[in-house]
Amino acid sequence: MIEIKNLSKIFNTKSGQVVALKNVSATIENGDIFGIMGMSGAGKSTLLRCLCLLEQPTEGQILLDGKDVAHLKGKELLAAHRQMGVVFQGYNLLMQKTVAENVAFPLKLTAYDKVAVQKRVAELLELVGLADKAESYPSQLSGGQKQRVALARALASNPQVLLCDEPTSALDPLTTKSVLELLKDINKKLGVTIIIITHELSVVKSICNRMVVIDNSQFVEQGSTQAIFENPQSSMARLLLGKED
Amino acid sequence: MADFFAQYGDLLLEGTLETLYMTFIPTVIAYCIGLPMGVLLTTTKQGGIMQAPRFNAVFGWFVNLFRSIPFMILIFFVLPFTRLLVGTSIGATAANVPLAIAAAPFVARMVEQSLEEIDGGVIEAARCMGATNWQIITRVLLVESIPSLLRGLSITIITVFGYTAVTGAVGAGGLGNIAFRFGYQRYQTDVMYATVILVVILVCIIQSVCNLLAKKFDKRNR
């Protein structure tokens, strides 16, 4: 379970303070596929960077099974990183490494058992349907395939949570559908909690069971996806759903 | 032609070998010093994985200081150090000292440039996987930039190669020395032309080999 508790992030810039997150709270249950939806500039990216521990919040906590991970340092931070897999919009694969080496990368950071690593990589590539591409390089793959590699890599260390930052924004509709199917499948098979940050309605609608709407640095609405889609309360949700003129 | 080679062949061969010696040894030493310097320049920058802007500014200034000293002056400037290190201040081995010192900050900037090309997202991805700074440097930065580093290597080798002509002119041997002695002091232009042709051929070979390696190691366009 992940609890986001009273999280705030304020950036000090030359032109003054910029509030990127204002006292946001949410609880994400184990096994959820949780959508965080908002327009550009709403604070989505900052929230993601806080969640994947690249950025420390100014205030508040991120509790992973009751333990605050938002303010860790050193070895504890490295260990916390390994409990979260992250998939990025731009894939961020190592271009000079093969698909198999990319997936093995997080494993090799800690493990030295070559055979075990190989076995795990084969398993993961099988899971994302790219077993035949193990020896290819990222430049030889399509966008959807690259995202599958990124997904396999993010899952390599058996994370509790999978964070997805606009995972399908660079993909065409058909590829988007197949990647979303895969995410759903992984959620079911591995029981991993998935958090998806996106501006695409269709993504949230098709796979998220719960969601929040973020607007102007705040969570303006949260609840089950179905309830929000049927009866949006906040003006931003109504706007996003096209229920407001 | 045959006469020419009979007379000067050995001299030119010796000069070529000396030039290559004065090119490759300083290049290797310069990389031993310059590569870590380049990594430090990149990683301590604002937003880098070990950001330390003040250190970066001072260190960058230090690198520029050495880059800005004209090579001819540097040779004389480091003479006492050269003598201390290799016991002599003349000959090809002595020339290696200023050559390496001049090339190291150059290498640092070349390496910095290569590492800068790496997409910040890839580095963040590695951080998200729990990679330490050392792992990011050795497994991401230096690996992802291999093709670019190899292209930088060719520029470095050719630059050092050019510098050897200067050390040659002040008595360190090599093709530069031959060109200077025969072409300038004795007006034997045929010998000088021969050295020029040799130099051009060597530069072409170095450039082609490096380009070939860079292409072979680059997995981005296949």
Side-chain angles (χ1 to χ4, degrees), chain A residues 49 52-54 78 81-82 84 86 88 92-97 105-106 108-109 137 139-140 153, chain B residues 119 121-122 124-132 135 139-140 143-144 147 217-222:
Chain A
R49 291 179 64 81
C52 65
L53 313 181
L54 284 172
L78 295 183
H81 271 310
R82 294 196 189 100
M84 306 194 183
V86 189
F88 301 90
N92 292 346
L93 298 175
L94 297 164
M95 299 304 283
Q96 306 294 347
K97 296 277 187 191
F105 185 88
K108 284 184 180 166
L109 295 175
Y137 287 92
S139 58
Q140 299 165 307
R153 183 177 70 171
Chain B
D119 181 8
V122 178
E124 287 201 330
R127 271 179 70 192
C128 284
M129 288 182 255
T132 61
Q135 286 171 330
R139 302 185 190 193
V140 179
V143 175
E144 284 293 286
F217 279 106
D218 199 347
K219 315 292 187 194
R220 280 173 299 186
N221 314 305
R222 335 197 121 202

Side-chain angles (χ1 to χ4, degrees), chain B residues 10-28 91-93 95-96 99 156-169 171-181 194-203 206:
Chain B
D10 286 349
L11 180 82
L12 289 170
L13 180 68
E14 195 191 335
T16 304
L17 292 177
E18 267 177 352
T19 293
L20 290 175
Y21 171 70
M22 286 193 293
T23 303
F24 287 103
I25 301 291
T27 302
V28 170
T93 304
N96 286 345
L99 282 168
T156 306
I157 295 176
I158 291 165
T159 303
V160 175
F161 189 87
Y163 280 166
T164 65
V166 181
T167 57
L175 290 172
N177 182 258
I178 293 171
F180 179 73
R181 266 167 35 214
T195 62
V196 171
I197 291 166
L198 274 172
V199 164
V200 171
I201 292 171
L202 287 172
V203 167
I206 293 167

Side-chain angles (χ1 to χ4, degrees), chain B residues 1 5 12 22 30 44 59 68 70 82 91 99 115 149 151 153 165 171 180 193 205 217:
Chain B
M1 199 70 166
F5 277 111
L12 289 170
M22 286 193 293
T44 58
F59 192 53
S68 59
T82 306
L99 282 168
L115 300 188
L149 286 171
R151 278 183 214 106
L153 176 68
F180 179 73
Y193 288 143
I205 292 173
F217 279 106

Side-chain angles (χ1 to χ4, degrees), chain A residues 38-57:
Chain A
M39 311 239 268
S40 309
K44 286 188 312 242
S45 302
T46 307
L47 180 60
L48 178 102
R49 291 179 64 81
C50 286
L51 286 175
C52 65
L53 313 181
L54 284 172
E55 199 96 59
Q56 293 205 344

Side-chain angles (χ1 to χ4, degrees), chain A residues 140-201:
Chain A
Q140 299 165 307
L141 303 180
S142 69
Q145 289 172 328
K146 281 183 203 164
Q147 199 56 295
R148 281 163 188 270
V149 177
L151 203 53
R153 183 177 70 171
L155 292 168
S157 54
N158 264 322
Q160 256 181 291
V161 187
L162 183 65
L163 292 164
C164 306
D165 181 18
E166 304 272 6
T168 57
S169 299
L171 306 176
D172 62 66
L174 270 180
T175 316
T176 295
K177 206 174 157 209
S178 80
V179 168
L180 292 178
E181 285 302 321
L182 179 61
L183 281 173
K184 221 179 200 172
D185 195 39
I186 284 167
N187 172 260
K188 222 180 268 167
K189 265 192 205 156
L190 308 179
V192 61
T193 308
I194 299 179
I195 300 177
I196 298 181
I197 293 198
T198 184
H199 62 262
E200 292 172 299
L201 269 178

